[in-house]
C-alpha cells in the first residue's frame, strides 16, 4: 500500500469520527463543522491553525474540526472520496466544485454574500457560484536566477519564444540546467507547469473559450493548436532543456532545487514569490540563495504578454451540512478576515480579490510578480479551471501523468493530445 493511500485511509478514519452531514451541536453548545485543508511549504499546519483560530475567536459558538488532504495535488480527488463515503466535509478550502456541485452537494453563494468580491462571477457552474473567489493567482509565471542568466551572457528575460529558446541554449552551453521541474511521488501536478504555460500562451490566448468548446465537442485536444503547444513541451525536453531529475522530486524538493541554484528557470505559480522573498530576507548566512530572483510571463511567439491566471481558491460549503449556517459563516469570515489575508499574502503571495483590501508591505519578488500579473492579457490557466470551462473529472490527473511521460521522453505532442481526447471520452465527454 503506497503512502498516499495510507494517508488517505488514516484521514478517512479520522473523518469518520464526525462525518459531515451528521454533526450536532457539541456539549458546550458550540456548533461543530469539519474543514478540509491542504498543506504546502507555504501553507503549514501552523498557518491553518492560526487562521482557523482567528475566525473562531470572532465566532466562539463555532468549533472547527480540521481535516488535511494527503497532498495539495490530491485534494480534489480526496474530497470526492469523502463524498463517496458519505463524509463530505462541511467546508473545503480551494477544492474545485466541478464534480461535487452537480448533484446538489454544494451551497450556491448569493449575490449579497458575494458583494465584497472583486470578481463575484468567477468560475460559474450552471450560472451559480459555489466557490468564494477571493484569491487571484498566476499559474504559472517563470521565476529565474539572475546570477545564472548573467553568467550565461543573458542580461534580460526573454520576450518571445524564440528568445526563450536562445536563452535556454546559452544556459545549457554553460553547463546550467535551463528548467527546474518536479513531478515525483504524490506531486505529479508539479510536472505540468511548462505545459500549462504553453497552452495559455499558444491556445487560450487565441481561443479563450477552448474548454467550453471542448465540452461542446466543437474542438479536440488533437486539434493543431493544442498539439503544437504540447509538442513545444516535448521539444524542450528533447533539446535537454528540462531537468529529468525532477521526476523524482516532490513539490517541496522542486522548490528547494531552484532555491539551491540547480537550474536557471522555474515555471511556478505566483505563490512562489513568498518563498523567494523569504529567502532574500534571510540571506546567505541562513542557507538561502545568494542570487536575485526575477520573474517573467512565459513568452509567446509574437511577444504578446499572456498571463494564465485564476481567481477563486476560496471555500466551498456542503449544502447538506447539519450546521449549514455555521459553515457559511465560517467560510465567509475565513476569506474576509483582514489578518487572515495579510498572513496569506505573506506566506503564499496571494493576490487578494476582495474590494478595499490593502496588502501589507511585501518584498521585491512579490512586487515584481504583481507587476507581471497586471501587465498582460489574462487567460485561464489550463487544468486550474473550476467552472463550466473546467476539465471533466479525472482528466486533470491524466494531464499530469502525461506531463511526467513527456518529461521522461516517452511521448510527444500528438500522442499526448490523443491520449487526452481518449480520457475525455472515458470521462463522459464528446
Amino acid at each position: 500500500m503506497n503512502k498516499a493511500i495510507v494517508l488517505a485511509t488514516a484521514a478517512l478514519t479520522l473523518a469518520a469520527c464526525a462525518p459531515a452531514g451528521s454533526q450536532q451541536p457539541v456539549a458546550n453548545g458550540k456548533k461543530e463543522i469539519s474543514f478540509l485543508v491542504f498543506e504546502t511549504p507555504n501553507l503549514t499546519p501552523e498557518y491553518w491553525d492560526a487562521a482557523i483560530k482567528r475566525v473562531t475567536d470572532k465566532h466562539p459558538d463555532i468549533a472547527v474540526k480540521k481535516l488535511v488532504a494527503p497532498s495539495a495535488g490530491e485534494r480534489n480527488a480526496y474530497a470526492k472520496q469523502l463524498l463517496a463515503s458519505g463524509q463530505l466535509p462541511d467546508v473545503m478550502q480551494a477544492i474545485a466544485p466541478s464534480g461535487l456541485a452537480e448533484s446538489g452537494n454544494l451551497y450556491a453563494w448569493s449575490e449579497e454574500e458575494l458583494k465584497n468580491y472583486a470578481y463575484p462571477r468567477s468560475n460559474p457552474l450552471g450560472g451559480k457560484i459555489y466557490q468564494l473567489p477571493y484569491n487571484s493567482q498566476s499559474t504559472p509565471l517563470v521565476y529565474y536566477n539572475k546570477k545564472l542568466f548573467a553568467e550565461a551572457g543573458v542580461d534580460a528575460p526573454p520576450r518571445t519564444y524564440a528568445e526563450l529558446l536562445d536563452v535556454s541554449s546559452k544556459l545549457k552551453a554553460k553547463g546550467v540546467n535551463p528548467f527546474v521541474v518536479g513531478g515525483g511521488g504524490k506531486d505529479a501536478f508539479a510536472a505540468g507547469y511548462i505545459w500549462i504555460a504553453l497552452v495559455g500562451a499558444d491556445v487560450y490566448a487565441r481561443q479563450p473559450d477552448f474548454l467550453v468548446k471542448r465540452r461542446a465537442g466543437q474542438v479536440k485536444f488533437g486539434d493543431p493548436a493544442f498539439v503544437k503547444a504540447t509538442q513545444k513541451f516535448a521539444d524542450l525536453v528533447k533539446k535537454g532543456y528540462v531537468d529529468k531529475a525532477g521526476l523524482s522530486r516532490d513539490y517541496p524538493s522542486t522548490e528547494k532545487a531552484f532555491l539551491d541554484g540547480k537550474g536557471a528557470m522555474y515555471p511556478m505559480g505566483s505563490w512562489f514569490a513568498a518563498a523567494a522573498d523569504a529567502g532574500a530576507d534571510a540571506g546567505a548566512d541562513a542557507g538561502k540563495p545568494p542570487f536575485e530572483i526575477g520573474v517573467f510571463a512565459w513568452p509567446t511567439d509574437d511577444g504578446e504578454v499572456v498571463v494564465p491566471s485564476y481567481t477563486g481558491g476560496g471555500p466551498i460549503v456542503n449544502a447538506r451540512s447539519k450546521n449549514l449556517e455555521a459553515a457559511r459563516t465560517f467560510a465567509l469570515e475565513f476569506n474576509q478576515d483582514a489578518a487572515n489575508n495579510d498572513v496569506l499574502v505573506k506566506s503564499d503571495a496571494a493576490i487578494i480579490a476582495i474590494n478595499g483590501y490593502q496588502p501589507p508591505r511585501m518584498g521585491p519578488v512579490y512586487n515584481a510578480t504583481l507587476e507581471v500579473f497586471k501587465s498582460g492579457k489574462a487567460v485561464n490557466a489550463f487544468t486550474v479551471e473550476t467552472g463550466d470551462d473546467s476539465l471533466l473529472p479525472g482528466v486533470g490527473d491524466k494531464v499530469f501523468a502525461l506531463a511526467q511521460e513527456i518529461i521522461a521522453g516517452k511521448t510527444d505532442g500528438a500522442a499526448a493530445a490523443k491520449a487526452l481526447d481518449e480520457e475525455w471520452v472515458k470521462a463522459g465527454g464528446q
Side-chain angles (χ1 to χ4, degrees):
M1 183 177 289
N2 66 38
K3 182 179 179 183
I5 294 174
V6 172
L7 287 170
T9 302
L12 280 166
T13 302
L14 176 63
C17 296
S22 65
Q23 290 97 342
Q24 301 295 331
V26 296
N28 60 6
K30 293 186 178 183
K31 293 181 173 62
E32 184 177 81
I33 61 171
S34 53
F35 183 32
L36 178 63
V37 304
F38 60 96
E39 295 171 357
T40 72
N42 295 348
L43 303 178
T44 63
E46 294 76 19
Y47 161 78
W48 293 111
D49 291 343
I52 290 168
K53 186 176 185 299
R54 291 187 192 95
V55 179
T56 55
D57 282 349
K58 290 182 180 180
H59 299 276
D61 60 321
I62 299 175
V64 176
K65 184 180 185 64
K66 184 182 74 172
L67 306 176
V68 182
S71 74
E74 294 173 291
R75 65 185 187 269
N76 290 319
Y78 182 61
K80 291 181 175 67
Q81 290 176 27
L82 293 175
L83 172 64
S85 63
Q87 300 175 90
L88 188 68
D90 296 292
V91 183
M92 295 153 276
Q93 181 73 11
I95 299 296
S98 179
L100 297 173
E102 291 84 347
S103 299
N105 296 299
L106 300 184
Y107 173 77
W109 298 102
S110 69
E111 289 186 15
E112 177 66 19
E113 289 167 321
L114 293 168
K115 67 182 181 181
N116 293 329
Y117 293 85
Y119 310 105
R121 303 302 301 171
S122 295
N123 306 301
L125 270 172
K128 296 180 179 180
I129 303 299
Y130 296 98
Q131 185 172 50
L132 290 173
Y134 88 117
N135 180 14
S136 294
Q137 294 178 324
S138 296
T139 310
L141 298 174
V142 183
Y143 293 89
Y144 70 99
N145 183 323
K146 291 186 176 182
K147 180 181 178 183
L148 291 178
F149 265 44
E151 290 174 351
V154 180
D155 58 8
R159 296 168 298 174
T160 67
Y161 190 71
E163 290 178 0
L164 179 68
L165 293 177
D166 182 61
V167 168
S168 299
S169 176
K170 289 177 178 177
L171 289 165
K172 187 180 180 186
K174 286 287 186 178
V176 174
N177 170 44
F179 287 103
V180 174
V181 298
K186 64 185 182 299
D187 292 334
F189 71 94
Y193 288 112
I194 290 178
W195 199 359
I196 295 169
L198 282 161
V199 171
D202 290 4
V203 181
Y204 288 1
R206 302 291 176 262
Q207 300 181 67
D209 57 349
F210 181 85
L211 276 189
V212 174
K213 291 179 177 177
R214 185 67 193 88
R215 279 178 168 254
Q218 297 170 358
V219 298
K220 291 189 174 182
F221 296 113
D223 288 355
F226 193 91
V227 171
K228 181 179 178 182
T230 307
Q231 187 58 43
K232 282 184 176 180
F233 182 16
D235 288 344
L236 289 172
V237 173
K238 193 176 299 184
K239 291 176 183 293
Y241 296 160
V242 179
D243 181 13
K244 293 186 178 184
L247 292 177
S248 65
R249 299 189 192 109
D250 61 11
Y251 174 67
S253 299
T254 306
E255 180 177 283
K256 185 176 186 299
F258 176 72
L259 292 172
D260 285 347
K262 293 182 178 179
M265 291 180 283
Y266 182 41
M268 184 48 60
S270 53
W271 54 86
F272 173 68
D277 279 329
D281 290 343
D285 291 342
K288 299 299 182 179
F291 55 84
E292 291 185 38
I293 296 173
V295 58
F296 60 91
W298 185 275
T300 58
D301 289 337
D302 61 6
E304 180 184 22
V305 179
V306 174
V307 181
S309 59
Y310 168 78
T311 297
I316 58 176
V317 169
N318 182 349
R320 298 186 173 97
S321 169
K322 293 296 184 182
N323 290 321
L324 180 58
E325 182 178 355
R328 289 165 48 208
T329 298
F330 175 83
L332 287 164
E333 187 65 48
F334 189 88
N335 269 185
Q336 296 183 48
D337 180 88
N340 270 4
N341 287 333
D342 286 350
V343 174
L344 185 65
V345 171
K346 291 177 181 178
S347 64
D348 209 40
I351 301 170
I352 302 298
I354 294 178
N355 294 325
Y357 174 77
Q358 295 296 321
R361 185 175 180 178
M362 295 294 289
V365 182
Y366 177 86
N367 293 332
T369 295
L370 190 59
E371 183 177 343
V372 174
F373 176 78
K374 293 178 177 179
S375 71
K377 176 181 180 178
V379 299
N380 283 345
F382 179 52
T383 75
V384 185
E385 302 98 330
T386 61
D388 290 321
D389 55 0
S390 62
L391 292 169
L392 295 178
V395 179
D397 291 337
K398 183 66 173 180
V399 172
F400 304 138
L402 287 167
Q404 291 174 314
E405 291 187 22
I406 291 171
I407 292 172
K410 295 180 179 179
T411 193
D412 61 12
K418 180 181 178 183
L420 275 187
D421 278 323
E422 291 171 351
E423 193 70 20
W424 189 268
V425 173
K426 289 178 184 177
Q430 300 183 52

